[in-house]
Every structure is written in C-alpha cells, then in structure tokens.
Amino acid sequence: MVSRTYQATGTAGHAALVDEISSWLALDADDVDHKHAARRDHALTAVRALNEDAAAGDTEAFHLQQLLLSRIYTTVVQLPKGTSAEGSALLHEVTRLLENATVALEDGCITPSTLEQAPTEPRPYLSWLKGLVRRHRAFKHPYYTEFIRDQAGHDDLRTYVVQESLVDGRFDDLLAMMQVGTAGAAKMEIANNYWDEMGNGDPDQVHTHLFNKIYEVFDVREDDMESVMTAGDLLTGNLAVLVCRYRRLYAEAVGFLGMTEWLVPDRFTDVVHAWERLGLPPVGITYHRLHITVDSQHAAGWFHHVVLPAAHDARMRRGIARGALWRVNSSARLLDERLGAARGAVATA
C-alpha cells in the first residue's frame, strides 16, 4: 500500500511521497505495478501536488521534486545491484509528470520571441546561437572567474566537484545515450567524442576514472554525494539525462551538450588555477587540465559536424536553441545560488 503519510499537506507530505516512491526503486517492476495499482490515482495526484507547489515557488518542494527525479534516473544510468523498478508502468507515469514539470520550468525561462529570432541558414544560425550564449551571464560567471579562481578554499572545491559529478562524472554515458539513432557526420562526431571520453582505449585515461581521482584527493564517498546536492545541482543532472534518453529531445541534447562543452575550457581554467593556488595533489586535476584542450576541440567539431548539418531543418534549429538555453539558463541560476551561498559564508565567518 502507498504510504498514508503523504496524504499530509505541505513539505511533510511531499517528503513522505519522495521516500515512498524512492523505496519502489529496488523492487521488481511488476511488483511495483501490482502492489500499488489500487493507489495509482492517489500517488499521481500527490506527484501533481508536488509539482504545483514547486512551480509556485516553494523551494523545498522544488528540491524534493528534483531529488525524486534524480533518484528515479538511477534506474536509467546505473546498473542495479539487485532487482530494479526499471520498466514499471506506474514509475513511468510518475517520471513523466516530473519530467513535464521540469521542461515547463525551463521553457518558462525562455523569452518567447528568442527562438523566433533564429536565422534560417545554417552558418548564420550557428553564429546567432553562439552569440546568444556568449552574451549570457552564464558564459563568464563570477562564481568561476572570481570565487573559484581566487577565493575558494579546500572545502569549497570539494563541494564543487561533488556538485558537478551529475554531469562531469557521467558524460560518457550521456554521449552513449544521445547517439542512438543518429547517422553520418553527427554519429561520427559523437563517437569521436565518446572515444576520447574512453581514454582512446587506455583504461587509465578514461575520463570518468580520472574524475574519480578527484574524489580520492578529497576523500569523497558515495554517501556524501546526495547530501550536498542543491535543487539546482539536481536539476542540472536531471536535464542532462532527460535530453539524452529521449529520441524526441535529440535536438535539445545537441544544444545542451554542445554548450556544456563550449563552456568547459574557460571554467576549468579557473578550477586549475584554484587547484594550483591551494597546492592540492596534481593527480586530482588531470581531468580538468585535459578537458581545457579536449573540449575546445570537441566544441568546434560539435558545431561543425552536428549543429551545422542539423540546422537545415527548422525543427532542429528550434530544438538546439531550446536545449542550449536550458543549459545556460539553469547554469546561471545555479551559479548565482552557489555564489550567493559562498559570499554568505564568507560574511558569516
């Protein structure tokens, strides 16, 4: 039976809902659907209420909404240790409600006229898209250029790498998911990118392996991860999975991941500067050093081989721009939040 506790209103009810649905994830999919069939409508109504409160500006509801979606996505991006609810019809209905609410949030942050301004020819379109992002406050955000580069301490960097793990720590899997169904130059570009992520065949150079070296420097354990994730961190990771897992959002994935790679070199240059300033072990910064060069090359190849061929199609142009704006808008909000928290901590100290 679905827990009666989330019949309560407000945060207590939402938290009980998240705990209850989270408990389903280690069950067999058929068991989830069978055991909870009688309370299906009640559960979905509770998820809708969570979404409504999140959309109305309830920060705790928003955090719980994104936490639940992030936990559900573990059934998509991680191999199960035992049984899994992956494939459950009821879990899929819950997921779609959460995903639709997340998409509505990001679309609501895009000025309606922006997407209509895109040129129709591929090269002017690409120039317009890059200009759109270059002028965005996320492009050279002071969280990186001021705080991370010159002010962040050891604990600040530790928190930073944990928070970034939802994208950086699984970029190879995101590429693997998004390439399904592609062909030609786009598929080859994604494949080349993926092979770089795989260390070009050298297990010691696989990028996720190198990223995990950072965890060793800071003694980060799996139990530490979720507790430091803000709603904005969870949203960023959720958006990345969302655009990559659905074929209908392929265009958005092109824009989202393309801009992720374009932003990386400047941001990681600031991270390397901070790492050296603090005198941290060199083994932990290999990942960031590597991506300063590699992602510059990847971004150029992505624009040339993936964006330009796709930009002949109006639907693709709109989706790519939409995904790019999802990336920079969510990033700007997240970095504003992080910078505010960092400055608040300094003021308190």
Side-chain angles (χ1 to χ4, degrees):
M1 178 181 291
V2 176
S3 173
R4 295 178 181 177
T5 56
Y6 67 71
Q7 294 179 12
T9 59
T11 299
H14 295 328
L17 169 71
V18 170
D19 287 344
E20 179 68 23
I21 295 178
S22 297
S23 73
W24 299 352
L25 303 181
L27 302 177
D28 179 78
D30 290 336
D31 287 343
V32 172
D33 292 338
H34 176 71
K35 291 179 181 178
H36 301 292
R39 300 294 294 270
R40 169 186 170 276
D41 290 345
H42 180 73
L44 297 181
T45 296
V47 174
R48 291 187 185 97
L50 172 65
N51 288 338
E52 288 169 3
D53 285 352
D58 183 330
T59 56
E60 185 60 28
F62 178 54
H63 180 267
L64 288 168
Q65 175 198 65
Q66 294 303 314
L67 176 62
L68 179 55
L69 184 56
S70 180
R71 288 177 176 176
I72 290 171
Y73 277 163
T74 62
T75 66
V76 178
V77 299
Q78 294 180 14
L79 294 178
K81 296 177 181 178
T83 55
S84 169
E86 181 182 14
S88 160
L90 177 55
L91 187 64
H92 178 71
E93 289 187 277
V94 170
T95 305
R96 295 299 299 129
L97 289 176
L98 296 170
E99 289 173 337
N100 288 341
T102 299
V103 167
L105 167 69
E106 291 310 313
D107 281 345
C109 294
I110 299 174
T111 304
S113 61
T114 300
L115 300 181
E116 309 304 327
Q117 297 169 2
T120 58
E121 293 299 316
R123 290 197 177 278
Y125 169 81
L126 178 57
S127 296
W128 169 82
L129 182 66
K130 293 168 74 174
L132 191 67
V133 173
R134 192 179 282 114
R135 294 187 298 272
H136 200 283
R137 76 180 191 278
F139 191 70
K140 296 280 188 181
H141 198 282
Y143 174 75
Y144 282 98
T145 61
E146 297 174 14
F147 177 71
I148 288 292
R149 182 178 179 85
D150 297 320
Q151 301 167 21
H154 176 280
D155 289 347
D156 297 315
L157 276 192
R158 184 183 189 276
T159 299
Y160 163 78
V161 297
V162 171
Q163 291 173 325
E164 289 294 296
S165 66
L166 291 178
V167 175
D168 288 345
R170 60 189 184 201
F171 201 78
D172 52 353
D173 288 340
L174 296 174
L175 289 169
M177 286 194 291
M178 79 160 292
Q179 66 83 33
V180 174
T182 60
K187 197 176 192 77
M188 290 304 299
E189 183 60 38
I190 298 169
N192 287 334
N193 196 324
Y194 179 79
W195 191 236
D196 277 345
E197 291 287 330
M198 291 293 98
N200 294 292
D202 182 348
D204 291 334
Q205 297 301 311
V206 172
H207 291 191
T208 49
H209 171 73
L210 296 176
F211 189 86
N212 288 337
K213 291 293 183 182
I214 308 172
Y215 292 162
E216 295 176 15
V217 170
F218 290 118
D219 191 27
V220 174
R221 300 170 188 179
E222 188 173 348
D223 292 344
D224 299 331
M225 306 289 281
E226 190 177 274
S227 63
V228 300
M229 296 292 180
T230 68
D233 299 323
L234 295 166
L235 171 66
T236 298
N238 289 339
L239 284 171
V241 176
L242 172 63
V243 297
C244 291
R245 71 178 300 213
Y246 292 110
R247 301 304 81 216
R248 62 184 177 80
L249 291 177
Y250 169 73
E252 283 77 5
V254 170
F256 191 96
L257 294 193
M259 290 309 162
T260 296
E261 294 201 302
W262 200 36
L263 293 169
V264 156
D266 285 346
R267 291 181 172 187
F268 281 12
T269 296
D270 294 329
V271 175
V272 170
H273 186 275
W275 197 277
E276 294 174 343
R277 171 173 56 79
L278 294 169
L280 295 170
V283 67
I285 200 60
T286 302
Y287 173 89
H288 290 84
R289 287 187 186 281
L290 179 64
H291 278 263
I292 291 172
T293 301
V294 169
D295 278 3
S296 294
Q297 299 167 349
H298 285 170
W302 198 272
F303 290 144
H304 185 75
H305 297 297
V306 183
V307 175
L308 280 178
H312 289 279
D313 180 85
R315 183 183 60 83
M316 290 294 295
R317 288 194 300 272
R318 185 177 185 86
I320 291 170
R322 187 184 183 212
L325 287 169
W326 285 0
R327 176 56 175 142
V328 292
N329 286 342
S330 60
S331 178
R333 297 195 307 272
L334 172 59
L335 298 182
D336 288 346
E337 173 189 287
R338 288 184 184 175
L339 186 60
R343 287 174 171 168
V346 170
T348 300

